[in-house]
Amino acid sequence: MNIVQKIGLLAIGLAAGLTVHAQSVDFNAEPFELVSQVSNALFDDINQNRAVYEDNPAGLENVVREIFIPLLDKNRSARLILGRHGRGLDPEKIDAFADALLNQLVNRYSEGLLEFDSRDLVEVLPLAGKNTDRQTRVRTRIELSNGEKAPVDYILRKTDDGWKAFDVIIEGISYVATYRNQFGEEISRDGFDQVLDRLQSGSIALQ
Amino acid sequence: MTNSSAKRFSRVGVAALAVSLSLLTGCATTSGERDPRDPWESFNRGSFEFNRDLDKAIVRPIAKAYHYVTPDLLEQGISNVVTNLSYPVTIVNLLLQGKFADFGEALGRFVLNSTFGIGGLLDPATIEGIPRHNEDFGQTFAVWGWEESPFLMLPFLGPSTLRDGIGLVPEIYTDGVSIAANEFDRYEPLVADVLTLRVNLFDLDDDLEEAADPYLLVRDAYLQSREFDIADGETDLPDYDDFLDEEE
């Protein structure tokens, strides 16, 4: 895989790891369990409904959207991406930014999930490295069609509602860090409100 | 595990490197926020524009045509062959970094694919579960202690750093693709290599086109990805707290 390709995978990976059927996942699970359950639930659903989703991408998007958003600390992702540009902003504006960002991701990348044929292609590795009781990095490997295994790591943080993911790192490229520079540049140039408008109207494409 | 788009080298590449290095001394500063890892941003942006123009005018259209006319199976085979031809770069660098077990594994992969894989056309090593390592001289220099190096956008070759750019020089003598071109005047592998590399990037053309700052996107992705390759996947996380607390 080439460097730039990975960026597309960022978003797919984010959805892949975090989308889940509410009934089949224990929200209070520890990070390793949570990511495993989420990924299994997602691929089971896709395998069952593949034909439906292939004809109806909007259906897939809805499933992803419905079960995806509650599992994500989208607000933390948004604040990390905005950095100093987010300070002093109304919380509603940050929420709006977080929602618009997520909408774009789901729109653009849900379809990519259909390319993964089975849950066996995702392997969740045992925890290793520097994890604390507040922040954990869960490492997974997604096997691509050419046999290569792409490392996809989820960064989760403990919140009052259990563990939530706020960043995904694919082959070393962090979703938060990468978007942060892109939006930072744009907000410096055009101001937050204008960038939010464009994001909401769908005229900013995500990388 | 990754392939940078600036991997391949040729006589053209050597000339380009020489030109870039000589131009660096004459760079103006760039307005806006400076990244300490990119002191030559002004030159780099110029070089990036040049590469994109070249790509739009020549490389991308040819790669499109190649992808269109070549049957998928053949295209995969061609990709396998050039990957295998370049694999000695990884083998040598595993040795230079003292990763002896991985070196043995990589040698095994190369021999298996070159023989039973019919000169690399097939990839029995992957079917056997032998992992594909990715090492190069830039990574080796980093492992040896040259960790920080300024970002450098090379004309023709794409994103690099000073360290990784210098690493391309010994690569000429270890990469089968370069050796075929330089020693035997066989340019087919080089052409196949460039086309394969370009085809693999098609998916991201639109994203790059629509990025707020395509140059920054490529720079960020390259630097993060290299750090990851150098550490063999054991990189530290971004400093998230700093993302929230940063000062003007």
Side-chain angles (χ1 to χ4, degrees):
Chain A
M1 235 183 8
N2 291 287
I3 297 168
V4 190
Q5 261 183 305
K6 287 164 216 157
I7 302 165
L9 251 184
L10 282 174
I12 297 169
L14 187 70
L18 301 172
T19 310
V20 64
H21 265 316
Q23 310 89 305
S24 53
V25 168
D26 171 11
F27 287 105
N28 294 314
E30 291 301 302
F32 172 85
E33 264 305 301
L34 188 61
V35 171
S36 308
Q37 288 183 18
V38 157
S39 136
N40 287 342
L42 172 73
F43 286 109
D44 286 352
D45 182 279
I46 288 182
N47 282 335
Q48 277 169 25
N49 302 303
R50 183 178 306 277
V52 179
Y53 293 152
E54 272 166 4
D55 292 338
N56 177 20
L60 173 63
E61 262 182 44
N62 281 338
V63 173
V64 169
R65 200 182 302 272
E66 175 190 323
I67 50 195
F68 179 48
I69 291 173
L71 282 155
L72 197 68
D73 193 346
K74 62 184 159 119
N75 210 273
R76 181 171 169 81
S77 304
R79 278 185 296 116
L80 289 168
I81 288 169
L82 289 171
R84 68 179 154 81
H85 300 292
R87 262 188 288 158
L89 282 181
D90 290 345
E92 298 83 56
K93 283 199 168 172
I94 294 182
D95 281 348
F97 180 81
D99 286 335
L101 194 58
L102 212 50
N103 269 337
Q104 283 251 12
L105 277 177
V106 172
N107 268 329
R108 188 146 183 156
Y109 293 112
S110 290
E111 224 171 318
L113 292 172
L114 293 176
E115 285 172 27
F116 295 92
D117 279 341
S118 114
R119 62 150 76 171
D120 300 332
L121 296 178
V122 181
E123 180 191 5
V124 184
L125 305 183
L127 294 186
K130 288 177 265 180
N131 296 305
T132 66
D133 53 4
R134 295 203 41 81
Q135 183 171 297
T136 298
R137 175 182 201 162
V138 178
R139 293 162 201 269
T140 72
R141 296 285 177 271
I142 297 184
E143 192 173 329
L144 307 174
S145 55
N146 63 3
E148 240 178 278
K149 288 184 177 177
V152 179
D153 296 354
Y154 300 95
I155 316 303
L156 293 89
R157 183 181 154 91
K158 193 160 196 171
T159 71
D160 295 342
D161 301 323
W163 288 91
K164 303 275 183 200
F166 63 89
D167 195 9
V168 57
I169 301 182
I170 299 194
E171 295 206 353
I173 301 177
S174 152
Y175 149 83
V176 161
T178 304
Y179 280 25
R180 176 185 160 77
N181 285 337
Q182 289 293 306
F183 280 109
E185 182 85 357
E186 215 171 346
I187 294 171
S188 299
R189 198 178 58 210
D190 299 333
F192 176 83
D193 289 339
Q194 206 179 326
V195 170
L196 178 60
D197 277 353
R198 282 209 299 267
L199 188 60
Q200 283 172 330
S201 69
S203 59
I204 293 180
L206 296 175
Q207 296 74 45
Chain B
M1 200 168 284
T2 60
N3 267 315
S4 89
S5 57
K7 261 312 190 24
R8 305 300 157 238
F9 220 66
S10 64
R11 284 166 180 161
V12 173
V14 179
L17 183 62
V19 172
S20 358
L21 292 176
S22 64
L23 285 175
L24 286 175
T25 46
C27 288
T29 54
T30 312
S31 61
E33 288 170 59
R34 298 288 300 272
D35 189 311
R37 297 168 306 176
D38 191 6
W40 303 321
E41 184 173 339
S42 170
F43 164 81
N44 286 338
R45 281 187 182 273
S47 169
F48 180 68
E49 288 311 316
F50 170 78
N51 287 346
R52 289 194 84 194
D53 290 346
L54 185 73
D55 180 61
K56 281 178 193 157
I58 300 172
V59 184
R60 188 167 179 273
I62 295 176
K64 282 274 179 199
Y66 163 76
H67 183 59
Y68 184 75
V69 302
T70 316
D72 287 353
L73 209 59
L74 179 61
E75 198 174 328
Q76 184 61 53
I78 289 171
S79 165
N80 288 345
V81 168
V82 290
T83 303
N84 192 59
L85 268 176
S86 297
Y87 207 56
V89 176
T90 289
I91 297 173
V92 168
N93 281 285
L94 283 168
L95 192 61
L96 292 174
Q97 293 174 32
K99 294 170 180 164
F100 298 116
D102 290 347
F103 165 73
E105 200 172 65
L107 200 58
R109 160 177 270 276
F110 183 66
V111 170
L112 183 61
N113 279 357
S114 300
T115 53
F116 290 99
I118 320 170
L121 195 63
L122 305 174
D123 185 7
T126 294
I127 296 164
E128 289 299 312
I130 304 174
R132 180 153 71 225
H133 296 283
N134 163 40
E135 302 291 350
D136 52 54
F137 290 95
Q139 292 185 55
T140 297
F141 295 157
V143 168
W144 286 352
W146 187 0
E147 288 172 8
E148 304 291 325
S149 182
F151 183 69
L152 180 58
M153 184 65 74
L154 294 169
F156 300 101
L157 298 172
S160 189
T161 61
L162 183 60
R163 176 198 64 217
D164 296 343
I166 290 172
L168 293 173
V169 176
E171 196 171 304
I172 304 170
Y173 304 101
T174 34
D175 182 352
V177 173
S178 303
I179 293 171
N182 292 324
E183 303 296 325
F184 301 103
D185 284 327
R186 297 304 297 260
Y187 295 94
E188 297 92 332
L190 185 64
V191 171
D193 194 26
V194 171
L195 291 176
T196 301
L197 215 53
R198 190 62 190 86
V199 167
N200 285 335
L201 294 170
F202 282 162
D203 284 347
L204 277 263
D205 281 351
D206 290 343
D207 298 303
L208 199 61
E209 198 63 43
E210 291 159 4
D213 186 339
Y215 169 80
L216 273 194
L217 179 63
V218 170
R219 186 184 76 189
D220 281 351
Y222 180 80
L223 291 175
Q224 289 186 67
S225 170
R226 285 300 282 178
E227 212 177 299
F228 186 83
D229 289 344
I230 290 161
D232 291 330
E234 298 306 315
T235 34
D236 290 334
L237 293 176
D239 190 347
Y240 296 117
D241 290 333
D242 189 55
F243 282 8
L244 293 176
D245 296 341
E246 61 168 359
E247 298 301 323
E248 283 286 338

